[in-house]
Every structure is written in C-alpha cells, then in structure tokens.
Amino acid sequence: MTQVNAHSSGKASSQPGVLRIGLWQEPDNINAYLTWMATGVWLGSLVLEPLVRPDAEGIFHPVLAERVPSLENGDIASDGLTITYHLRRDACWADGEPFTSRDVRATWEVLSDPSHQVISREGFEWIEAIDCPDEHTAVLRFSKAFPPFRVLFLCVYPEHKMRQFSANFNSDPFHRAPLGTGPYQLEEWKPKERLTFVANPRYRGPAPYFQRLDFLCITDRPTLISSLAQGDLDLALLLGVNDLPQVEHYSNLVQMVTPTSVTERVVFNLRHPALSDVRVRRALELATNKQQIVDTHLLGRTHVAASELDSTAWANPAVTPSRFSPAEAETLLDEAGWLRSSDGTRQKDGQRLSLVICATEGDAMRQAVEEALVQMYAAVGVELRIQNHRAELFFGNAADGGVLVQGEFDLAMRARGMWGDPDPNMSICYQSRWIPAGDNQGMGANFGGYRNPEVDAWLEEAQNTMDQERRHTLYNQVQQRIQEDVPAMYLFNLPNVDIARPGLRGLRQLPYINVWGTVWNAHEWTEEGVV
C-alpha cells in the first residue's frame, strides 16, 4: 500500500475543508452494478458501501458487516450453501433510516430481478433466499456453493428507496444520486462540469476533514495537470504514466504511481470473419512488440502482462508473455489464406485484411498504443485504423447502444482487474453465457463473443467448489486455454497514477485491488499540520 504524506507547503483551496479534484473522464453513473467505468465505481464508493472489502493484499475486512464470514467463525456452513452476515449496529442511511438486514435482502432482490439490466448477476442468481431473523443478521441461502461470495454486495442499497424505482430501472435517478451509508453524499452533479460530494452528517465515523469534495471534469489532461500546478486543483486522479513527463516540469507536484493487478488488453471480436480464425489472432499477437510498447509509451513503469490474473496470487506461472515474432506472424497469416497483394496489404477472396481498433477518446496513452499497433500490423500486411469513442458511448449499456456490449468493434482496448477473487471477473469475461445479447439483456463482459465449452465447464466448477486447491487448478487451466485461443491480447499491467499538490496527507492507493481506487479512504484525508 502506497501512502503519500507530502511535507512541503502547497496552495490549498481558498475555502477551508474543500478539496478540488480533477477528473479527465466523467462517469455515466455512480452505481457499481450499472457502470463499466472506473470513475463511476470510484465515486460511487464514497456513498454506497460494501459488506466487506479487500485490502492491498487481497484480504477481506468488514465494512457494513461486523466480521467477514468464515468456516472458523461459523458463518459459513460446511457445504458452503449458507452464509451468515452479522451487520453493524451503528450504520444508518444518510436520511436517518437505520441500516438493517432488509437492505441486504432488497439489494439482492433488485440485482437478481430479470427485468433490471445490470452489468452482471454472477453469484446473485444462485442465492435462493436471504433470511432476516433480526435487523442485524442476513442469512444468504445458495442453491449451490459460490466460493467468491465475498465479492458480492460491492454496494448495498436502501430498501426504502428500492420501493420507489421508476418503471425504467436503468434511467432511475438513484443511479446518479444514490442514498448511501458512506462518509459522503452527492450534493450536485452538473454534467460535463463537476460532481460535488459533501460530508454525510450521519456517517458513523469521525467527520471527514474535507467536508466537500469537488470533482471537476477536465477532459484535456495537459490542462488538468497545469491547473493542478497553478493551484486551481488539489488532486488529479486516474492519469497515465505518459502524463508524467509533463508533471515533472513542475516541482510543486507529488507523483503517486502504484502497480495494480488491472490488465490492459485488446479484445478481439470473434464475430469478425478474419478474427474468427485463431491463426489470425495469434498472428496479431506475435506481431505486437509488447515490451517496446511498455518501454516507449509507459516509460518502462510497468511490465508486460500474460493473463487475466497477472500480478495476483492466482496467476498461472506457466503462462508467460507472448513472443514478438513478425516472421511467425507472417507465416500464420499465409497459412490462414491472407496473402500479400501488390500494395503489401493482405487479401483473401478479394477482401482486404483491414481492421478497426477503438478505445475511449481523450486518453493519450491508449492513442499512442493504438498508433504503435497500426505500425506493427502494417509491417505484416494488416491494415489497422483507429476509431475511438466517447467514454459514455464506449462503455454504455445495451439500452444506450454501448459499443462494447453491442459488439460494434473489431478490436477494442480496455482494462479490467480482479476484485479479490478470480470470479466473478473471469466468468463474466470468458464464459459464453456472459456474451452480451438480447437473451441476457446485454449483461456480461464477454464482449468479443468467445465460446469454449471446456472453459465454460472449468469456470462453472471453479465457481461452485469450496476446494481452493482445485479452484487454483481450474483457473490455471482457463488461463492456459485463453493464451492458446487468444480471445484477448494482454498488453501490460496498468499502473494507477494520481498527482497531488504538496500538503495533502493520508492518500493511500491499493496496489493489488483497484476497484475502489484512491478515494476508498477519502474521509481520512487531511492537510499537513492537522492533528
């Protein structure tokens, strides 16, 4: 865990107790179960709290629960089908209503409702009932064991507000202004301008030093950094290592660069006629000089990734980064029938091998990586064009025509990390039942349409056995098969980069688990000199 306590003076906000934070990417909503955007999950965590949360080493600690269920404390039945949560007695909602076991049950009911379009129901669908024997005990009854149960309930919803959802669940105002138990509550959201959070006076813990957090939406990252250097901001979140050269021009800025288990990858759309051939996907990976990308565009501040579980205790040591071999790539493309034409671009049956890669607009690092891939693929006769999208369109849900969930791409560059257990992340990314489609309401993150019956079966078993050794074996098999099938090409682990003015104290990044990012302990931040 990285902690920053800058000891030189900096220009604080002219308003005491106010922190001005720059965001280059505005979220679409701040409900963790409705957004694919990191900014949405981060900001939502200021308001909506989980039952338990992992620390920097992936060890879970109670938040709204009094303790983490285990076999040792008797909260997990020997067959894994019953999980008991004992809940805090000092928590309440920001409107004064008490937090109870009924809120846990209402959250499950909302997320398991088939008429509600959420990003995933993984795990929730196997809860048959939640009993509430008293206000401070929630008993989860599963139809089959779900060992990663601790990653369920990333946030808990208030039962009394769940009764008031509008007919269109996904457009309900709650997702952009939720009522929570956390240290802050959202006071105002001015689209494309700012989100203002104020201290929750009913929060069970000490009052935060910063009574107001102003998140300012500044899409131009050089402008964001210069505003920070000039004293118009106090903190900038979710930057990239390629922003550091500009940061280093200013002596009054503090860098916070932390490795994470979040992997940047290129997802291949297997529905594309050319990309449906594994030889073409393998060729593109062999044509990708990942180390050069890391050294040039990430300044050598991270390492090449090999798998979905890279840099975690679940990583398969036998799965290593791919080779860079343009000659082998050319051979595979020849074997697949994609032959060089007179202009050097490969063709087959009169069709050029021309692909489009997309990512979110405004990200200089991703743009630079895309441009590098254009050159690398041209060297083996593959034309690659760049067509990036606004974040809200790229990550949008099916109802809003999101690029990823609709499968409207050839190659898509995105990042994702583990939430404390390989699942539900591995399953929603690679099980065929989580290919977003009409029959599952666009849920899941298997955006490329990957299907492999063995992977489906391995992941199914891994989600339903309490034998941790067996789970390690199964996830090792999945990682090996994904490397062979190449539904996605892993590039590198994505460092977490935040920049602060001097004088801020208590900022602690979570290097292993990055779901809640830097703001997970915002209520503990203070200024230099504050006791």
Side-chain angles (χ1 to χ4, degrees):
M1 184 179 294
T2 301
Q3 179 160 346
V4 173
N5 291 328
H7 295 296
S8 57
S9 61
K11 180 181 175 182
S13 169
S14 58
Q15 302 178 61
V18 176
L19 198 69
R20 304 154 303 172
I21 305 168
L23 284 180
W24 69 271
Q25 193 177 81
E26 183 179 12
D28 50 356
N29 68 72
I30 57 172
N31 184 336
Y33 284 105
L34 268 76
T35 181
W36 291 111
M37 298 179 68
T39 49
V41 180
W42 284 30
L43 299 190
S45 71
L46 296 167
V47 178
L48 295 167
E49 295 183 296
L51 290 178
V52 297
R53 177 168 52 205
D55 63 14
E57 286 72 44
I59 299 170
F60 282 84
H61 297 272
V63 180
L64 285 174
E66 281 189 341
R67 65 191 189 193
V68 179
S70 68
L71 288 168
E72 292 72 22
N73 64 24
D75 293 342
I76 302 178
S78 58
D79 60 5
L81 297 180
T82 303
I83 309 292
T84 299
Y85 275 102
H86 298 280
L87 307 176
R88 298 184 69 113
R89 297 168 182 266
D90 58 352
C92 72
W93 299 99
D95 62 358
E97 288 290 322
F99 165 69
T100 74
S101 55
R102 293 187 299 276
D103 300 312
V104 178
R105 182 170 59 193
T107 302
W108 162 65
E109 291 171 345
V110 166
L111 296 176
S112 60
D113 187 332
S115 69
H116 294 164
Q117 188 178 74
V118 295
I119 61 175
S120 171
R121 291 196 186 92
E122 190 77 6
F124 288 103
E125 60 193 336
W126 294 321
I127 300 176
E128 291 186 322
I130 295 183
D131 299 336
C132 302
D134 59 59
E135 290 197 338
H136 306 294
T137 308
V139 182
L140 284 57
R141 302 196 182 279
F142 289 80
S143 60
K144 52 185 175 180
F146 186 67
F149 71 89
R150 295 177 185 86
V151 303
L152 300 178
F153 298 98
L154 290 172
C155 54
V156 179
Y157 305 146
E159 182 205 22
H160 60 292
K161 289 295 182 183
M162 299 303 96
R163 306 190 203 106
Q164 302 169 16
F165 269 138
S166 60
N168 188 334
F169 170 76
N170 287 79
S171 63
D172 193 276
F174 179 86
H175 309 310
R176 289 177 66 90
L179 176 73
T181 57
Y184 290 93
Q185 53 189 329
L186 182 65
E187 180 182 69
E188 183 181 33
W189 186 340
K190 288 190 174 182
K192 301 186 184 305
E193 184 177 334
R194 74 170 184 269
L195 293 87
T196 298
F197 293 80
V198 295
N200 175 5
R202 293 188 172 91
Y203 181 61
R204 60 191 175 274
Y209 173 79
F210 291 108
Q211 289 285 296
R212 194 175 95 199
L213 305 178
D214 277 333
F215 290 88
L216 306 175
C217 304
I218 304 174
T219 56
D220 183 72
R221 281 155 69 158
T223 299
L224 191 157
I225 294 168
S226 62
S227 297
L228 183 60
Q230 293 163 11
D232 297 322
L233 293 174
D234 303 296
L235 178 64
L237 300 178
L238 283 168
L239 298 179
V241 293
N242 60 314
D243 295 310
L244 295 178
Q246 181 188 356
V247 173
E248 288 164 358
H249 285 304
Y250 303 104
S251 60
N252 63 333
L253 297 182
V254 179
Q255 300 179 21
M256 295 173 285
V257 183
T258 309
T260 75
S261 61
V262 175
T263 53
E264 186 78 34
R265 81 285 306 272
V266 172
V267 178
F268 296 117
N269 192 336
L270 276 60
R271 307 170 189 87
H272 189 284
L275 296 174
S276 65
D277 189 332
V278 69
R279 293 171 295 184
V280 174
R281 303 195 300 273
R282 288 174 182 165
L284 293 177
E285 184 159 45
L286 286 164
T288 303
N289 191 337
K290 299 178 183 178
Q291 190 61 55
Q292 182 185 92
I293 288 173
V294 166
D295 293 341
T296 303
H297 304 295
L298 285 99
L299 312 179
R301 300 292 289 265
T302 187
H303 65 271
V304 173
S307 76
E308 188 77 20
L309 304 178
D310 207 282
S311 298
T312 76
W314 294 86
N316 183 345
V319 175
T320 57
S322 61
R323 302 185 308 281
F324 171 56
S325 179
E328 290 182 74
E330 298 238 29
T331 298
L332 280 173
L333 290 169
D334 287 342
E335 291 176 359
W338 292 96
L339 305 178
R340 293 258 191 185
S341 62
S342 58
D343 69 356
T345 303
R346 294 179 177 272
Q347 292 188 8
K348 181 180 181 179
D349 299 330
Q351 297 294 317
R352 290 165 58 86
L353 187 45
S354 179
L355 302 169
V356 176
I357 188 170
C358 62
T360 51
E361 288 180 350
D363 189 324
M365 180 274 290
R366 288 193 170 105
Q367 178 76 28
V369 173
E370 289 174 315
E371 291 170 357
L373 293 176
V374 168
Q375 298 301 315
M376 292 172 187
Y377 293 174
V380 297
V382 178
E383 180 182 64
L384 184 66
R385 293 173 288 118
I386 300 170
Q387 183 180 333
N388 292 331
H389 305 279
R390 302 186 319 276
E392 61 269 27
L393 178 61
F394 187 73
F395 290 112
N397 60 36
D400 297 328
V403 171
L404 290 175
V405 299
Q406 296 283 93
E408 297 293 335
F409 64 90
D410 298 339
L411 288 77
M413 190 174 172
R414 66 182 293 264
R416 190 161 177 84
M418 194 176 82
W419 292 4
D421 188 282
D423 267 307
N425 185 58
M426 286 289 283
S427 294
I428 65 175
C429 285
Y430 292 111
Q431 269 191 319
S432 60
R433 71 192 186 102
W434 292 120
I435 298 171
D439 59 358
N440 68 2
Q441 299 175 295
M443 292 189 301
N446 188 348
F447 301 124
Y450 175 61
R451 296 178 184 274
N452 184 302
E454 285 189 306
V455 169
D456 283 350
W458 292 335
L459 287 171
E460 188 78 11
E461 183 182 350
Q463 293 171 77
N464 295 288
T465 176
M466 301 300 285
D467 183 339
Q468 291 297 82
E469 184 175 343
R470 177 60 180 161
R471 295 186 76 220
H472 272 274
T473 298
L474 290 163
Y475 289 121
N476 280 349
Q477 292 172 189
V478 172
Q479 291 171 77
Q480 185 70 52
R481 184 57 55 83
I482 288 172
Q483 185 179 58
E484 295 166 0
D485 290 349
V486 203
M489 175 177 67
Y490 296 98
L491 296 175
F492 47 81
N493 282 72
L494 191 66
N496 192 55
V497 178
D498 302 324
I499 309 297
R501 63 163 170 80
L504 287 181
R505 300 191 64 180
L507 279 75
R508 290 182 289 159
Q509 297 171 309
L510 298 178
Y512 184 60
I513 307 297
N514 204 38
V515 177
W516 289 276
T518 305
V519 304
W520 72 279
N521 74 327
H523 57 293
E524 298 176 347
W525 298 348
T526 61
E527 291 277 11
E528 182 181 8
V530 174
V531 180

